[in-house]
Amino acid sequence: MIIENETDAINLLKENGYYTLINRYKGDFYISNKSLFERDTSINDLYKYKLIETDFRNILFKYTIIFEQKLKESISYTLSKDIGIRTSDYLNPYNYRNKNKAKQITGFINKKIIDCHDDPVKYYKNHYNDIPPWVLVNNITLGQTRMLFSMFKFDQSDYVAQQLISPNKEIFSNNRNEREELIEFTRNIISIISDFRNTLAHGRRMVHFNSKTKLKYKSLKLFITPNVITKNEFYTDKLCTNDPFAFLVVLSITMKSTQLDNLIIQLKEWEKTNTGTINDKKLFTKFLSNSKIPQDFIQRLNNIPK
């Protein structure tokens, strides 16, 4: 690895840490199957590569928060409307499908309430001896919210699914089986966004990260066109199954048209900022390739029906 200026290199290591800068990113700059850097790789390349990922992470994290708020609002509404606003109602496992699984989840959430000593949960416990759904849901994690959604019956699940993919409501038919498929697709969307949200929040790497949940093309194609992802790319190249591009696509599917437009504007600016020189463009191309994000990703996102 080339050290062009020793003082600058030392300062980079002081600011970023050897592990964060070198150990994290060196593998992307190694010659294939060798622990040797590619020709002309400098420590500044690793630093710029790190900045590309950091900026990307910061852009996407904001939109995962918007998604999380939308999910929690729809869940707290349907809990209140269909089950009840008292803790004894909405944490009663017999109000949900799969009673054994519901007992575990409601028991876990009830313990979170008991162990919570922060407002507003603490205030409601002390003054009302009860926690309404909209207070509870806003004080649990996205992963815990996903657990809560997983035990919903059909009507509650159907409502949440329609709220999350509201720009495409016309695809909801009266066929029960088709709606069940869309509910399952919604569960997969929540799982993928939750996995990536945790990665973003904890500053872990986006490159090479995959969600534990995989999308199904049969459901995905209802929301996209072949200009976004082709059947061959999905099945042969495994593109947009559970990789960062899949995260981008499902996050976009849940957005209002104005939000998606804003995301695309920010991604365009991100690309422009990081492709000003030949070397910058080379590093940006490497980042997209290692993240399994197509080079024409902005054009593809623009083709998602709004």
Side-chain angles (χ1 to χ4, degrees):
M1 184 172 65
I2 296 171
I3 306 295
E4 295 168 341
N5 184 298
E6 195 169 300
T7 301
D8 289 344
I10 290 171
N11 287 332
L12 282 178
L13 293 174
K14 283 182 177 180
E15 292 170 5
N16 298 276
Y18 184 89
Y19 173 81
T20 301
L21 184 59
I22 307 299
N23 282 4
R24 264 191 171 191
Y25 295 99
K26 64 184 180 183
D28 290 355
F29 290 83
Y30 276 168
I31 298 170
S32 181
N33 299 320
K34 293 184 179 180
S35 295
L36 294 171
F37 282 105
E38 296 167 349
R39 185 179 178 87
D40 297 330
T41 298
S42 75
I43 191 171
N44 291 324
D45 290 335
L46 271 70
Y47 177 64
K48 289 179 182 178
Y49 193 78
K50 175 182 179 290
L51 291 181
I52 290 171
E53 183 173 58
T54 300
D55 291 343
F56 186 52
R57 188 166 55 232
N58 291 340
I59 292 170
L60 295 180
F61 185 68
K62 177 177 72 174
Y63 290 97
T64 64
I65 297 300
I66 294 172
F67 168 82
E68 184 175 349
Q69 291 172 337
K70 188 177 181 181
L71 171 64
K72 288 183 174 183
E73 284 299 319
S74 61
I75 282 182
S76 61
Y77 175 81
T78 194
L79 281 175
S80 304
K81 176 177 174 290
D82 295 342
I83 299 177
I85 65 171
R86 299 188 65 83
T87 311
S88 57
D89 292 329
Y90 70 79
L91 287 185
N92 181 347
Y94 292 95
N95 286 324
Y96 301 97
R97 68 187 184 97
N98 194 337
K99 304 301 184 296
N100 290 332
K101 179 180 180 181
K103 284 180 181 179
Q104 293 179 342
I105 294 173
T106 55
F108 172 79
I109 293 176
N110 193 55
K111 187 176 185 304
K112 296 291 290 185
I113 292 175
I114 294 171
D115 294 341
C116 183
H117 302 291
D118 298 324
D119 286 330
V121 172
K122 178 183 176 182
Y123 175 83
Y124 275 87
K125 283 197 297 185
N126 292 340
H127 289 79
Y128 301 102
N129 198 32
D130 217 352
I131 315 295
W134 54 89
V135 173
L136 168 78
V137 172
N138 279 298
N139 281 271
I140 59 177
T141 66
L142 179 56
Q144 291 160 3
T145 307
R146 175 180 60 180
M147 290 167 54
L148 191 59
F149 177 65
S150 72
M151 63 183 188
F152 276 14
K153 291 181 179 179
F154 174 81
D155 288 343
Q156 290 78 46
S157 299
D158 188 56
Y159 172 80
V160 173
Q162 291 194 49
Q163 298 308 303
L164 291 183
I165 50 181
S166 57
N168 302 280
K169 270 186 178 177
E170 65 274 8
I171 73 164
F172 281 84
S173 70
N174 292 321
N175 183 289
R176 171 79 179 228
N177 290 334
E178 291 179 359
R179 293 174 87 98
E180 289 279 10
E181 288 181 9
L182 289 172
I183 289 169
E184 182 60 28
F185 181 62
T186 301
R187 292 194 184 103
N188 290 340
I189 285 177
I190 295 170
S191 295
I192 288 173
I193 293 177
S194 179
D195 286 347
F196 275 92
R197 184 226 185 270
N198 290 337
T199 296
L200 295 171
H202 293 97
R204 294 193 290 263
R205 296 204 61 195
M206 286 281 292
V207 178
H208 310 303
F209 179 80
N210 291 315
S211 170
K212 297 185 289 293
T213 300
K214 292 185 177 182
L215 294 174
K216 293 180 180 178
Y217 189 75
K218 181 181 179 182
S219 300
L220 181 62
K221 70 179 182 179
L222 295 172
F223 298 89
I224 63 170
T225 66
N227 290 330
V228 179
I229 179 77
T230 66
K231 186 175 182 180
N232 185 62
E233 287 175 321
F234 187 88
Y235 285 110
T236 303
D237 303 330
K238 306 301 180 185
L239 181 64
C240 201
T241 53
N242 63 341
D243 50 37
F245 188 57
F247 170 53
L248 264 178
V249 169
V250 297
L251 193 60
S252 299
I253 287 172
T254 68
M255 291 181 181
K256 295 179 180 178
S257 58
T258 52
Q259 290 174 340
L260 181 53
D261 288 341
N262 288 335
L263 171 62
I264 290 172
I265 288 170
Q266 290 177 42
L267 290 174
K268 282 181 178 178
E269 185 61 31
W270 172 63
E271 180 178 40
K272 181 180 178 181
T273 300
N274 291 291
T275 54
T277 68
I278 294 175
N279 191 56
D280 287 347
K281 190 169 184 177
K282 177 184 173 183
L283 293 173
F284 189 78
T285 299
K286 178 189 286 289
F287 176 81
L288 293 182
S289 177
N290 288 330
S291 302
K292 288 197 69 178
I293 297 175
Q295 300 296 321
D296 60 345
F297 71 102
I298 289 176
Q299 182 179 337
R300 292 183 186 237
L301 293 180
N302 259 321
N303 288 324
I304 293 177
K306 299 176 183 178

